Amino acid sequence: MPSIPYGQGPNRLMSTPKHGTALERVRGLAREVAKFGAVGGLGVLVNLGVFNLIRSTTDLQVVRASVIATVVAIGTNYLGFRYFAYRDRAQSGRTRELALFVAFSVIGLVIENGVLYTATYGFGWDGKLETNVFKFIGIGVATVFRFWSYRTWVFKALPTPAAASLVVEQRDGQADGQSGAPGGGAHSASAARTPEPAGK
């Protein structure tokens, strides 16, 4: 049986330099953060814009106005994440994706507006400047949670082609080993028959 040179076949993943793989991961993460930041930046503008619009045109309480603004921003963020930042991620199970997105977005909403609620009703910082500052701080804290949860649970990464081919090769190898094992198949069964004595 000819030997397979190292770095080809199933061993090719192992031959990849660790430093190169780490560099690729860092670059990929940097691109992801940049796209997430672009969508998130637009969401911040929508969030703060709606928040201040509601406060200037209605008599709603600060936190209620903030919750409405957050919900509007969540809607715009989903479109940006799904069709821009994470458009190359798995798109199967859209119902599950939406359910997880809404669930984690609600947690982010509680974090974001919890900071504003504490500042407004806990410390009495309810001026226009103060509410915008703590609204922004709440958005920043919630964004860290959203980034982790969205990339980990909602927009899951597709397996790399190399990893997928390795799994297929291993599975095919196991199937070939089972079919060719002693005692398996019609050939093994016929070989195991005891020959009849001559003359009968």
Side-chain angles (χ1 to χ4, degrees), residues 7-121:
Q8 299 180 7
N11 292 329
R12 68 179 180 274
L13 288 178
M14 298 177 63
S15 64
T16 302
K18 294 182 179 179
H19 296 290
T21 302
L23 181 59
E24 291 175 359
R25 290 179 179 177
V26 170
R27 287 176 176 173
L29 182 60
R31 288 193 295 268
E32 181 181 350
V33 170
K35 291 181 178 180
F36 189 95
V39 176
L42 177 61
V44 170
L45 294 178
V46 171
N47 200 335
L48 292 176
V50 174
F51 173 64
N52 285 282
L53 178 64
I54 293 175
R55 289 206 66 197
S56 62
T57 57
T58 69
D59 295 328
L60 280 178
Q61 296 178 351
V62 174
V63 177
R64 291 182 182 180
S66 177
V67 169
I68 295 174
T70 303
V71 171
V72 174
I74 287 173
T76 59
N77 284 346
Y78 177 77
L79 296 176
F81 291 141
R82 175 70 277 175
Y83 298 106
F84 174 67
Y86 294 115
R87 62 185 177 185
D88 58 338
R89 297 293 180 94
Q91 298 189 23
S92 59
R94 185 59 59 89
T95 302
R96 174 184 175 276
E97 176 184 290
L98 278 171
L100 288 174
F101 181 83
V102 170
F104 288 118
S105 295
V106 169
I107 297 175
L109 181 149
V110 172
I111 295 173
E112 174 185 331
N113 293 283
V115 172
L116 181 61
Y117 181 91
T118 302
T120 303
Y121 299 106

Side-chain angles (χ1 to χ4, degrees), residues 183-200:
H187 177 73
S188 298
S190 61
R193 295 176 183 172
T194 304
E196 296 182 357
K200 287 189 178 182

Side-chain angles (χ1 to χ4, degrees), residues 117-199:
Y117 181 91
T118 302
T120 303
Y121 299 106
F123 297 94
W125 296 328
D126 56 356
K128 187 173 182 180
L129 177 61
E130 290 89 341
T131 53
N132 275 277
V133 168
F134 285 100
K135 171 74 172 172
F136 185 79
I137 293 174
I139 292 174
V141 175
T143 297
V144 176
F145 168 78
R146 287 168 180 150
F147 177 71
W148 169 81
S149 60
Y150 291 166
R151 73 187 303 268
T152 304
W153 300 102
V154 182
F155 306 106
K156 303 181 72 172
L158 293 169
T160 60
S165 63
L166 178 59
V167 172
V168 173
E169 290 173 358
Q170 291 176 343
R171 185 173 54 198
D172 293 343
Q174 291 176 354
D176 294 340
Q178 291 177 357
S179 62
H187 177 73
S188 298
S190 61
R193 295 176 183 172
T194 304
E196 296 182 357

